[in-house]
Amino acid sequence: MTPTLNQLHEYRTATDTPLFSGLPGDVAVSFEFFPPKSEKMEDQLWDAVTRLKPLDPSFVSVTYGAGGSTRERTHATVARIIGEAKLPAAAHLTCVAASKAEIREVAEQYWEAGVRHIVALRGDAGEPGAPFTPHPEGYASAADLVSGLKAIAPFEISVAAYPETHPDAVSPQADIDNLKRKLDAGATRAISQFFFSAETFFRFRDACAAAGIDAPILPGILPVTNVAQARKFASACGAEIPAWMDGLFEGLDEQPAARQLIAATIAAELCRRLYAGGVRDFHFYTLNRPELAYAICHLLGKRPHNVALAGEAA
């Protein structure tokens, strides 16, 4: 009997080289954390930083709550990472509910604390579906914020990119044009919102190149263990959770270990496909949990730069 196309695909899968066989570890990685709200969460965050430090990240970033709601905690967390972990740390900063003078004050405090890298974002209003309204004396866009920060100090600046288009954008091309404005204003790189299809990222990368964007675009990787939480994140940023992913997590509400395994498998396969497409720089949204990001980096061939330190963190 003549095999079908699907059967031929399965036959090839049966004999292909294992996905993660022999990868040389020629990747750069970075990690995002959020500032802790309690002493217990502080311990969890610091455990994550300690466990991921041996992977020698290019940088780590710390998020900033809507309307500056985590301003002090973000500052304290970034300062501690720089001072104690000796890692290059980037602080998130948004335009929301802040005047230019207030943003200058925050940026100057960051510079004095040794922060040389800022993730500059327009930010959201905080209420789902609420439109962004600039502060009357503030910055109206992320591009304006980048220009303002560059005038304050020679910060390295990262900005956000949206492979599936920002919900507020009038069109995919308009969104890419906005990304170019941010980069032209002085940003060094873009970090993408999370996505679950390598083809989505490749198409976006091609569209950016066609628009004259040549700055690095780091794919943002979110290992999903809680589909409901991921769906909430996705609805806010325009990302799509494919139906097949829902199917893989179905029936596992009371099986956390199985969810972890499936989450790692999905994210690792995505990273391997991105690697095959030429990506060598990955940004992981850790949610302050290091296990999955560490495992995926290991599969990609990334090994601790100091084995003794890695053992102490285990």
Side-chain angles (χ1 to χ4, degrees), residues 30-33 61 63 92 160-161 191-195 218-223 283-289 293:
S30 53
F31 305 107
E32 179 185 288
F33 305 109
S61 66
T63 61
H92 288 218
I191 301 171
S192 91
Q193 187 52 262
F194 64 84
F195 55 92
L218 279 55
I221 306 300
L222 176 67
H283 185 74
F284 292 90
Y285 298 110
T286 70
L287 303 182
N288 290 9
R289 300 195 63 86

Side-chain angles (χ1 to χ4, degrees), residues 98-185:
S99 67
K100 293 179 180 179
E102 289 169 328
I103 288 175
R104 170 176 284 276
E105 179 184 359
V106 172
E108 289 175 345
Q109 289 175 352
Y110 280 149
W111 189 265
E112 290 171 7
V115 178
R116 298 294 180 264
H117 184 176
I118 287 180
V119 179
L121 308 165
R122 188 201 69 178
D124 296 316
E127 295 295 328
F132 170 76
T133 303
H135 186 286
E137 297 176 3
Y139 294 106
S141 69
D144 290 342
L145 176 60
V146 171
S147 296
L149 290 171
K150 281 293 190 180
I152 294 168
F155 287 108
E156 177 181 355
I157 298 178
S158 296
V159 293
Y162 296 84
E164 296 172 272
T165 307
H166 192 284
D168 290 351
V170 297
S171 70
Q173 187 58 52
D175 200 29
I176 290 173
D177 292 343
N178 185 53
L179 173 59
K180 190 173 190 305
R181 283 193 292 273
K182 292 187 285 188
L183 293 165
D184 289 346

Side-chain angles (χ1 to χ4, degrees), residues 31-117:
F31 305 107
E32 179 185 288
F33 305 109
F34 62 83
K37 297 180 180 179
S38 65
E39 186 174 337
K40 180 179 179 180
M41 292 176 71
E42 174 82 17
D43 292 341
Q44 179 182 338
L45 166 63
W46 208 246
D47 176 67
V49 171
T50 303
R51 287 174 181 267
L52 293 172
K53 176 180 176 178
L55 295 179
D56 194 22
S58 304
F59 65 92
V60 301
S61 66
V62 181
T63 61
Y64 192 79
S69 57
T70 65
R71 171 176 165 176
E72 299 304 325
R73 287 187 279 123
T74 296
H75 186 280
T77 301
V78 172
R80 185 181 179 192
I81 289 173
I82 291 173
E84 296 184 31
K86 308 301 182 185
L87 287 172
H92 288 218
L93 189 57
T94 74
C95 303
V96 177
S99 67
K100 293 179 180 179
E102 289 169 328
I103 288 175
R104 170 176 284 276
E105 179 184 359
V106 172
E108 289 175 345
Q109 289 175 352
Y110 280 149
W111 189 265
E112 290 171 7
V115 178
R116 298 294 180 264
H117 184 176

Side-chain angles (χ1 to χ4, degrees), residues 275-296:
Y275 183 93
V279 174
R280 294 295 183 271
D281 205 339
F282 298 84
H283 185 74
F284 292 90
Y285 298 110
T286 70
L287 303 182
N288 290 9
R289 300 195 63 86
E291 298 87 355
L292 296 185
Y294 191 101
I296 295 163

Side-chain angles (χ1 to χ4, degrees), residues 5-21:
L5 182 61
N6 284 341
Q7 287 173 327
L8 288 173
H9 179 74
E10 281 297 295
Y11 296 158
R12 179 177 176 181
T13 300
T15 58
D16 272 349
T17 302
L19 275 178
F20 298 98
S21 173

